[in-house]
Amino acid sequence: MTDAPAPAPLRLFNSLTRSLEPFQPVHPGEARVYSCGPTVYNYQHIGNMRAYVFADTLGRTLSFKGYALRHIINITDVGHLTSDADAGDDKMEKAAAQQGKTAWDIAAFYTAEFKRDLDWLNVRDPAKWTVATDYVPRMIEFAKRIAGTHCYELDSGLYFDVSTVADYGRLARAVTDEGEGRIEEVDGKRHSADFAIWRKTPAGETRQMEWDSPWGRGAPGWHLECSVMGEAELGMPFDIHTGGIDHREIHHPNEIAQNQAYRGCGSLDCAEHSGARVWMHNNFLIDRGGKMSKSTGEFLRLQLLVDRGYSPLAYRLMCLQAHYRSELEFSWEGLGAALTRLKRLLMAATTVREADGAAVTDHRLADLLEKFDAAMSDDLGTAVALTLLEEAAAMKKVDAGQKRTTLATMDAVLGLGVLTLERADLRIRPKSAAITEDEIEAALIRRKEARAAKDFAASDALRDELIAAGVEVMDGDPLGWDWQLE
Ligand code: AMP
Ligand code: ZN
């Protein structure tokens, strides 16, 4: 047995301080994480899904490091306007009007679609899905506590005065409240960065989703929701708050301001005053083809990848190849390469799939595990961790049980399912395919028979038929994949 290596200390990049910091949980042994979830007025695009692959990988890493994880993801089913800066319509009400459905139906439909996408990506369920409309009474209580000292009322609602807290906008690094492209959108706001805590339903109108409050009938502001659900489920301060990098500019600075107000208004020099010790943001997935805008017809969502024959887990692997703080450019070629990489991993892992796991004593495997720990502990170094998983999978002349344990340990963090996926899971038939798997397999058997009988004319004819149906026959494919659909 090799000496057990000292586990690497976990370091995470905190957007609030713009630096790597050792992870020090608020409650020893625990990790409490809140991830801003989707506004369920439409499908999520694959860029959105990068945010949840990131949050899931963070959660898996915290579990791997031995922390008892409590992860919350919210569902925003009310209150998010078409602009992040208090302008435009409520996204939910607008979608409901467009589709001739109730806002509640819209929310239920897109929530289910979102959860299916998460399943496809092996994103683990959070400890709890917090649904914004379930927390409205609590939001009103929160708002009441800060209203007198930090808010003012206008005809359109209750607004938060950002000059009442120290260091407003530090997370965004906005120099002034005119910075970051903020625009005065609402008449009577004291500062352009002030934001709605409560939005009153305009006189003479009714909303599908509205509640009574001390500031009139209306709906909560989007930023308030996350402050309240985080505090309700994780206490305050909790450990880590996540979201996409766009949230670093408006949504999270506003959450922080509310949290500061709620907690007595300490300076942000002490990270705890912001409500969460660490604020983490994933960078964007970008697409030069402009297919990630939900306002255009066909946009890039996971279903489209599946329709074109790509396993969603190829997309997960594609995300893991990049560091979460780097931009990642989407391309179909890149996705194809990720799928091939996943296939190779799967093939390499099949030899130990049936083995009983055994404690790792082989020093080569132990060494890989140690490096894996170091990579993930260094602000989630997934790109390096992936290559270590591949090295372990490819290792020859090694005890099968120990190899299995090594792969299982690494895969529990990366979430690709390399020990459980079947080849068929990766061989998805494109929606446009003109032939079924059974027909392909039957043709391949006949072709094999023809070749065995040295009837090469028949064999070639079968191959041509398959090509015409969009099937590439891969004779001697080192991956043993036999065929693939174009
Ligand atoms: P939304 O439903 O708009 O609140 O977005 C859900 C999550 O996706 C948020 O954490 C966003 O910051 C994140 N997000 C939005 N667009 C992208 C993108 N292109 N790449 C990565 N994350 C994104
Ligand atoms: Zn949020």
Side-chain angles (χ1 to χ4, degrees):
M1 180 95 186
T2 48
D3 287 341
L10 176 61
R11 295 192 313 156
L12 300 171
F13 188 85
N14 188 353
S15 299
L16 196 54
T17 58
R18 297 287 199 275
S19 61
L20 279 173
E21 294 174 0
F23 176 64
Q24 280 158 344
V26 175
H27 305 272
E30 287 183 42
R32 302 187 186 184
V33 182
Y34 183 94
S35 298
C36 280
T39 305
V40 283
Y41 71 106
N42 201 337
Y43 298 107
Q44 294 285 290
H45 57 55
I46 57 173
N48 298 134
M49 300 315 290
R50 186 181 186 198
Y52 306 107
V53 168
F54 154 63
D56 178 60
T57 307
L58 171 67
R60 287 169 176 271
T61 303
L62 290 162
S63 301
F64 168 66
K65 300 297 288 180
Y67 296 103
L69 176 69
R70 180 164 172 81
H71 188 193
I72 301 295
I73 305 179
N74 73 283
I75 299 287
T76 293
D77 57 351
V78 65
H80 193 171
L81 302 191
T82 46
S83 147
D84 281 356
D86 290 330
D89 309 314
D90 186 301
K91 287 182 176 180
M92 298 296 302
E93 302 256 343
K94 190 175 168 196
Q98 278 170 349
Q99 298 187 28
K101 293 184 184 153
T102 70
W104 304 96
D105 288 342
I106 296 281
F109 178 79
Y110 291 113
T111 300
E113 291 288 311
F114 169 61
K115 288 183 179 174
R116 202 236 2 233
D117 282 4
L118 293 180
D119 270 358
W120 270 352
L121 289 168
N122 277 350
V123 170
R124 301 193 300 185
D125 267 343
K128 187 164 180 180
W129 294 104
T130 57
V131 179
T133 47
D134 291 343
Y135 289 79
V136 175
R138 203 157 173 143
M139 292 175 202
I140 293 171
E141 289 311 309
F142 188 112
K144 270 161 71 179
R145 180 154 146 183
I146 63 174
T149 36
H150 297 277
C151 303
Y152 56 94
E153 208 173 330
L154 298 176
D155 287 347
S156 54
L158 183 71
Y159 287 83
F160 191 95
D161 180 335
V162 299
S163 70
T164 62
V165 293
D167 309 319
Y168 175 76
R170 179 180 287 189
L171 182 70
R173 298 282 154 103
V175 182
T176 66
D177 67 4
E178 264 74 52
E180 303 291 334
R182 290 179 192 280
I183 303 160
E184 187 97 28
E185 305 265 21
V186 176
D187 282 347
K189 279 209 298 194
R190 293 180 189 163
H191 315 92
S192 58
D194 291 353
F195 55 89
I197 293 275
W198 188 262
R199 290 177 302 111
K200 294 184 202 175
T201 305
E205 285 182 25
T206 46
R207 287 199 180 118
Q208 292 190 27
M209 291 176 160
E210 55 178 9
W211 294 261
D212 286 322
S213 83
W215 315 283
R217 210 165 163 70
W222 171 44
H223 316 297
L224 181 64
E225 300 179 358
C226 284
S227 280
V228 169
M229 291 186 278
E231 190 272 334
E233 296 300 330
L234 302 175
M236 215 187 262
F238 55 87
D239 295 303
I240 306 174
H241 196 310
T242 80
I245 199 159
D246 52 333
H247 288 348
R248 204 179 67 183
E249 306 307 318
I250 297 180
H251 181 46
H252 290 171
N254 291 353
E255 267 189 57
I256 287 174
Q258 294 166 157
N259 297 347
Q260 270 175 297
Y262 189 76
R263 289 176 46 75
C265 231
S267 145
L268 291 182
D269 289 338
C270 171
E272 266 93 339
H273 294 156
S274 78
R277 274 194 181 168
V278 186
W279 293 74
M280 294 178 75
H281 296 97
N282 64 278
N283 211 322
F284 264 30
L285 179 81
I286 47 177
D287 166 49
R288 275 193 266 180
K291 289 275 181 167
M292 224 133 59
S293 160
K294 292 180 188 176
S295 49
T296 61
E298 179 191 63
F299 64 86
L300 273 174
R301 58 187 183 96
L302 219 47
Q303 181 71 58
L304 183 67
L305 272 48
V306 172
D307 288 348
R308 294 214 184 162
Y310 296 92
S311 161
L313 292 170
Y315 177 64
R316 182 174 178 115
L317 188 143
M318 188 178 177
C319 290
L320 298 178
Q321 288 179 154
H323 191 262
Y324 75 89
R325 283 193 287 120
S326 305
E327 267 186 2
L328 171 61
E329 187 165 327
F330 177 80
S331 71
W332 292 102
E333 295 72 29
L335 185 65
L339 180 61
T340 303
R341 198 172 174 190
L342 186 57
K343 285 176 177 176
R344 281 184 201 279
L345 253 174
L346 204 67
M347 296 304 287
T350 42
T351 50
V352 297
R353 194 175 268 230
E354 305 303 331
D356 289 327
V360 175
T361 53
D362 184 296
H363 68 92
R364 291 170 304 159
L365 289 174
D367 184 47
L368 287 179
L369 278 172
E370 191 180 335
K371 285 183 178 152
F372 182 90
D373 179 21
M376 290 308 296
S377 300
D378 183 17
D379 195 30
L380 315 185
T382 50
V384 173
L386 256 179
T387 62
L388 294 163
L389 171 64
E390 286 170 330
E391 257 188 71
M395 196 176 280
K396 299 274 181 330
K397 299 200 179 97
V398 68
D399 177 75
Q402 291 190 40
K403 181 164 161 178
R404 191 188 197 289
T405 302
T406 305
L407 298 187
T409 305
M410 293 179 174
D411 195 60
V413 183
L414 297 175
L416 293 168
V418 297
L419 289 169
T420 47
L421 270 177
E422 299 293 337
R423 262 160 60 145
D425 296 331
L426 296 188
R427 193 148 66 187
I428 297 173
R429 199 161 69 95
K431 217 176 165 186
S432 59
I435 186 166
T436 68
E437 279 92 337
D438 288 350
E439 287 166 341
I440 297 170
E441 296 292 352
L444 285 176
I445 289 168
R446 274 184 280 131
R447 180 162 173 265
K448 219 176 185 173
E449 287 163 1
R451 279 158 61 124
K454 299 214 159 31
D455 182 353
F456 295 112
S459 148
D460 286 351
L462 279 162
R463 185 193 185 104
D464 290 345
E465 268 173 43
L466 285 168
I467 288 172
V471 182
E472 185 192 348
V473 181
M474 299 151 82
D475 289 326
D477 173 24
L479 295 181
W481 223 257
D482 311 331
W483 58 267
Q484 71 182 14
L485 280 157
E486 293 285 11

